[in-house]
Amino acid sequence: MRYIGKKIPKVDGIELVKGTPAYTSDFDTNNNSLIIKILRSPHPSAKIIDIDTTEAEAMGGVECVLTHKNVTDIKFTLAGQSYPEPSPYDRSLLSDTMRYVGDEVAVVAAVDEQTALKAIKTINVKYEILEPVLDLETAVDNSNLVHTQEPHVNFDIGCDHKRNIASTFYKENGDVEAELKKCDLIIERSYKTQAQAHAMMETYRATASIDVNGRLNIMSSTQIPFHVRRHLSRILGIPKSKIKIIKPRLGGGFGGKQTASVEMFPAMVTWLTKKPSKIVYTRQETFSCTTSRHAMKFTVRLGSDKQGNIKVVDISALSDTGAYGEHAATVFFVTGHKTLPLYGRANASRYHGYAVYTNKMPAGALRGYGATQGTFALESAMNELASEIGMDPAELRLKNIIRVGDSHPDLDGNILQSSALDRCIETGKEMIGWDEKYPAVFLSDSKVRGYGMAVTMQGSGIAGIDTATAVLKMNDDGFFTLIHSASDMGQGSDTALVQIAAEILDVDMDRVIVVSNDLDTVPYDPGAYASSGVYVTGNAVIEAAKEMKKQILETASRLLNVEEKELEYDGGNVSGADKSISLDELAQKLCSFEGKDQLIAKGTFGGDTSPPPFIAGFAEVEVDIGTGKCEVTDFVAVADCGTVINENLARIQLEGGIAMGIGLGLYEDVVYSKTGRMVTDSFMTYKIPSRMDIANIRTAFESSDEPTGPFGAKSIGEVVNNTPPPAIAHAVYNATGLWITDLPITPEKVLMGLISK
Amino acid sequence: MKVDTSINGRAMTLECENGEFLAGALRRYGFLSVKEGCDTGSCGLCTIWLNGKPALSCCLLTARVEGQEITTIEGMQEEAEEFAHFMVAEGAEQCGFCSPGFAMTVLAMKRELTNPTDDEVKNYMAGNLCRCSGYVGQTRALMKYLEVHG
Ligand code: FES
Ligand code: FES
């Protein structure tokens, strides 16, 4: 292999570090754009009785004031999902009902920021303040309703707004209750995971203008450009052909930009005023007026025999989707779907519960997409079971994990075709020194190092739903343009896809340039989510490159007058029967009367399986018994993402994901005041791991060969988030004897636990 | 108001509103490497040099830089590229949005500290947040860079 499996620098890495313009605001340099600011609800639940915007409208420099009174009341979802979306259409552009602190009351566009902010202050709103629903656990059948009208749903997702239920799910494989009766040992435990902020470094932003063809141009930092266009078409009531979307590089997304939180505002302002406009969310708005990870609550029951053979995995859950139901049903479903198969050898398994509405900021997609939450619950319970049985938790895993050839109803495609999870566990044990150090090493009277572990899986793309196409075009001196639409938010999809194309075409990587930013040009791709880039779009690129090779041979055969089967292509030349033509000559001939053709190849892929990548994570946590402070002094993560396409890209996904998982385990928490206002709306109050908090992250790859993957590859983008919280909780237990069952694991919780012990 | 200053070695007069911060003014004048990630002086994305020392341009009033020397990464392209090679070799840049600010801090540290220890490096770099990389790749890249160029 020339490129696959190598450490290849990102195609745009050098220029990004040098600060070369690449992001939405870097291209949006129209200093005459209207600036958009939003008046937001100070109440978690309220009805607008009266709203007076006369003063704002009369103000010099104000060009547009929108409220529920003068915009469409069409209902929609902002979730970035293939149509028909499995999310309720429960929101409108601007409504008279406020469902969380931060919900949009009015939109003002003015010649500059100061004027827009001043105008907003003059808007008078009279609210009828309603009793909010702020607690996940009392939301169902609460007398207060977040939504009083029935939202439209495209599927039966078990939405019951009269009970504050956005989605209901129940799936049982085998007979859980009957199998439990046969078990020697049953443990039942409850866990809680908190809401987490994406905290991508580039805040949400979008800009709009009208072009010379009268089309609405939107440039946005989005993971889901095609879905954005579809949503805008519905909201504005104009055909998709009237909307052009440009998607530059993203300064991080992590799933946040899989919900179209901001595009509709400049789109509406510009469509109405015909003037360019832009919106750039402040960090505060990014924290408090977009989406977060779903907070969840779990009860896990595990049943096993005395030897530690798991017979039953039974999980019930409640998920907090906040004010709107974007991704409510799917995140809920994925939580079980991407955890139960881990112990697919059990006789019975079940996952069920509700995603509920509350008067908090909506939850949405965040790297891991429910699997992160589910992994904390399931893996913590597994660790508790191991300690009840008195078995090494690594042994318990090795005894029970799903193996190649095993099947499980929640595995798309049913049979597991690749896994190196057993080797991931063995390698991880060795790297962390498990056999010597587990369960704990006592450093002094006050300092103990505990060791803990967890395993996890995710998917690669959405089986049976998502599909992507890639196009390859040969240019006039024989270099290629790869045209695709997987959004590069840093994960390096542009690089990995060029590698794949260059590998098949057997050309230097710099002979393949990449276009991925303009929806008028690129073929359909659902977007950067569900860990699809390399697996779904990568497979499409393979098809396109094979087709291109075929076209090259056909053309050479015609031009050389040699039968195709006698010809051989080596990346530079096509030769046979003592004749030869270089790609360069071939391409130039095609631009002449003699050749008269252009080579354009396409490839499409949609998976009917979603092969799981796996990770075994091992944490070394130093606990200060006096203060309860926990520090992850070492974290070892060993991943099976099939064939590693590019070690540089895979490794930073792994390292970065582990750091984000450490954040979820120890620090990060979206907190609301008693009155429903989000308190953690800045980097001062919401702590993401800083350089000082990350001591050591060590990674390794154990490859497997996934038969359906491009060159045997599976995904890596999301699975990386999942192991730290349960592995850290396990290490804390081994250091202190305390099971911390609700995240994050703060010094207060540890100290209080130690005191009450 | 008008502010006379020097940017990347060239005298420039910045026209700005009273109270405008330097990060915004620099972007307005086309120094687009300057990124902003927060409203609270917490992220380090907007790091430039003020008279050769790293400074947060989001917290610096444009009026305050009258007569001072500003450096952005646009004025440091050669050195930045040298460092960038270490970054991409380690696969340490992901979305890249934090990278220009990070690189400006690294280049300043290289001038300021000789043979720094790991802890000194961490301390110097503490103000530069990165959500993508988990920091360890950045640290590898920058230690190797210092070995060769420090
Ligand atoms: S923008 Fe965050 S510190 Fe300047
Ligand atoms: S690379 Fe994305 S924030 Fe640092």
Side-chain angles (χ1 to χ4, degrees), chain A residues 10 13 18 23 25-26 197-199 252 283-284 489-490 648 651-652 655-656 668 689-692 694, chain B residues 27 32 35 37 39 73 77 81 85 88 91 93-97 122-123 125 128 131-132 135-136 138 140:
Chain A
K10 280 227 288 268
K18 287 165 67 185
Y23 309 92
S25 295
D26 298 348
H198 306 85
R283 179 55 62 183
Q284 189 188 21
M489 51 184 159
N648 276 5
R651 186 162 57 165
I652 193 170
E655 291 169 347
E668 300 182 35
S690 79
R691 205 171 296 274
M692 308 311 262
I694 302 297
Chain B
R27 284 192 64 85
L32 296 171
K35 305 290 189 259
D39 335 310
I73 207 164
Q77 289 288 286
E81 172 142 359
H85 281 287
V88 301
E93 84 298 354
Q94 201 174 70
C95 78
F97 205 69
K122 253 192 176 180
N123 276 321
M125 302 300 306
N128 287 86
R131 184 56 154 171
C132 299
Y135 305 108
V136 284
Q138 287 187 346
R140 279 194 307 269

Side-chain angles (χ1 to χ4, degrees), chain A residues 66-318:
Chain A
L66 305 176
T67 68
H68 71 274
K69 287 190 190 163
N70 61 357
V71 297
T72 162
D73 66 351
I74 192 156
K75 300 289 187 291
F76 52 86
T77 175
L78 292 174
Q81 300 172 314
S82 292
Y83 182 79
E85 311 88 349
S87 291
Y89 288 12
D90 56 9
R91 65 156 88 220
S92 41
L93 182 58
L94 293 165
S95 159
D96 65 345
T97 308
M98 299 293 111
R99 297 192 175 88
Y100 76 100
V101 175
D103 216 348
E104 292 89 13
V105 175
V107 171
V108 172
V111 290
D112 57 35
E113 188 174 330
Q114 264 113 329
T115 312
L117 289 171
K118 238 193 253 161
I120 270 184
K121 289 216 179 88
T122 67
I123 297 175
N124 263 318
V125 193
K126 222 190 261 156
Y127 297 99
E128 179 196 346
I129 297 175
L130 305 167
E131 199 56 47
V133 181
L134 293 174
D135 176 25
L136 165 65
E137 286 166 63
T138 54
V140 175
D141 294 329
N142 197 297
S143 55
N144 303 302
L145 291 185
V146 180
H147 290 269
T148 50
Q149 276 174 6
E150 188 176 349
H152 166 80
V153 287
N154 291 318
F155 300 93
D156 180 10
I157 54 169
C159 180
D160 186 353
H161 72 284
K162 291 203 201 93
R163 302 183 62 201
N164 283 326
I165 293 172
S167 173
T168 311
F169 185 81
Y170 186 97
K171 187 167 185 221
E172 184 169 358
N173 308 309
D175 188 338
V176 164
E177 297 302 336
E179 287 295 332
L180 276 174
K181 290 207 182 89
K182 299 187 215 154
C183 290
D184 297 329
L185 189 71
I186 299 170
I187 67 159
E188 178 173 332
R189 300 285 188 274
S190 295
Y191 301 96
K192 264 191 198 169
T193 62
Q194 78 281 39
Q196 180 182 31
H198 306 85
M200 72 296 275
M201 281 297 144
E202 180 200 34
T203 61
Y204 294 77
R205 59 198 62 199
T207 138
S209 58
I210 305 279
D211 72 14
V212 66
N213 298 316
R215 297 172 76 212
L216 178 65
N217 284 209
I218 302 288
M219 181 161 62
S220 166
S221 176
T222 179
Q223 296 172 229
I224 43 151
F226 280 92
H227 300 327
V228 166
R229 186 167 70 181
R230 196 181 66 247
H231 293 330
L232 292 182
S233 155
R234 178 179 172 89
I235 296 166
L236 300 179
I238 61 176
K240 285 182 207 142
S241 59
K242 279 268 171 217
I243 305 172
K244 178 185 178 75
I245 306 250
I246 299 277
K247 154 205 65 103
R249 285 292 303 256
L250 277 70
F254 308 114
K257 295 170 184 174
Q258 195 196 337
T259 299
S261 295
V262 298
E263 292 83 353
M264 57 186 170
F265 302 118
M268 188 53 97
V269 164
T270 293
W271 193 245
L272 292 174
T273 63
K274 305 297 175 208
K275 294 186 179 172
S277 70
K278 67 172 100 177
I279 191 160
V280 176
Y281 266 15
T282 61
R283 179 55 62 183
Q284 189 188 21
E285 287 176 300
T286 294
F287 270 117
S288 61
C289 311
T290 57
T291 58
S292 69
R293 191 188 287 286
H294 291 77
M296 292 184 78
K297 193 181 170 286
F298 295 91
T299 301
V300 182
R301 287 195 299 172
L302 295 177
S304 83
D305 63 16
K306 285 193 198 91
Q307 293 76 37
N309 294 301
I310 310 271
K311 302 292 182 191
V312 181
V313 179
D314 184 21
I315 305 177
S316 72
L318 260 187

Side-chain angles (χ1 to χ4, degrees), chain A residues 206-454:
Chain A
T207 138
S209 58
I210 305 279
D211 72 14
V212 66
N213 298 316
R215 297 172 76 212
L216 178 65
N217 284 209
I218 302 288
M219 181 161 62
S220 166
S221 176
T222 179
Q223 296 172 229
I224 43 151
F226 280 92
H227 300 327
V228 166
R229 186 167 70 181
R230 196 181 66 247
H231 293 330
L232 292 182
S233 155
R234 178 179 172 89
I235 296 166
L236 300 179
I238 61 176
K240 285 182 207 142
S241 59
K242 279 268 171 217
I243 305 172
K244 178 185 178 75
I245 306 250
I246 299 277
K247 154 205 65 103
R249 285 292 303 256
L250 277 70
F254 308 114
K257 295 170 184 174
Q258 195 196 337
T259 299
S261 295
V262 298
E263 292 83 353
M264 57 186 170
F265 302 118
M268 188 53 97
V269 164
T270 293
W271 193 245
L272 292 174
T273 63
K274 305 297 175 208
K275 294 186 179 172
S277 70
K278 67 172 100 177
I279 191 160
V280 176
Y281 266 15
T282 61
R283 179 55 62 183
Q284 189 188 21
E285 287 176 300
T286 294
F287 270 117
S288 61
C289 311
T290 57
T291 58
S292 69
R293 191 188 287 286
H294 291 77
M296 292 184 78
K297 193 181 170 286
F298 295 91
T299 301
V300 182
R301 287 195 299 172
L302 295 177
S304 83
D305 63 16
K306 285 193 198 91
Q307 293 76 37
N309 294 301
I310 310 271
K311 302 292 182 191
V312 181
V313 179
D314 184 21
I315 305 177
S316 72
L318 260 187
S319 166
D320 189 345
T321 196
Y324 301 101
E326 273 104 14
H327 303 281
T330 39
V331 164
F332 193 86
F333 156 76
V334 164
T335 306
H337 192 62
K338 301 294 183 201
T339 49
L340 294 186
L342 261 181
Y343 303 106
R345 297 184 152 188
N347 295 340
S349 61
R350 174 165 60 180
Y351 175 69
H352 62 114
Y354 306 109
V356 304
Y357 286 121
T358 60
N359 290 110
K360 291 192 252 174
M361 182 176 81
L366 202 168
R367 199 184 204 178
Y369 207 81
T372 311
Q373 294 94 310
T375 301
F376 176 68
L378 176 58
E379 287 300 283
S380 291
M382 284 295 290
N383 287 328
E384 294 205 41
L385 179 71
S387 98
E388 293 259 316
I389 311 180
M391 190 171 190
D392 182 326
E395 273 317 300
L396 183 66
R397 277 10 181 263
L398 287 169
K399 204 174 189 127
N400 288 287
I401 50 169
I402 189 161
R403 306 268 174 160
V404 173
D406 287 353
S407 66
H408 187 272
D410 273 297
L411 267 186
D412 302 295
N414 225 340
I415 306 257
L416 186 69
Q417 303 198 65
S418 67
S419 168
L421 182 55
D422 51 345
R423 277 184 278 134
C424 294
I425 295 172
E426 299 290 2
T427 305
K429 276 176 68 183
E430 220 161 275
M431 284 172 71
I432 197 104
W434 189 258
D435 288 339
E436 303 82 69
K437 295 173 180 164
Y438 169 82
V441 173
F442 291 81
L443 301 180
S444 68
D445 283 354
S446 64
K447 295 244 165 146
V448 192
R449 280 189 177 170
Y451 295 81
M453 71 164 297

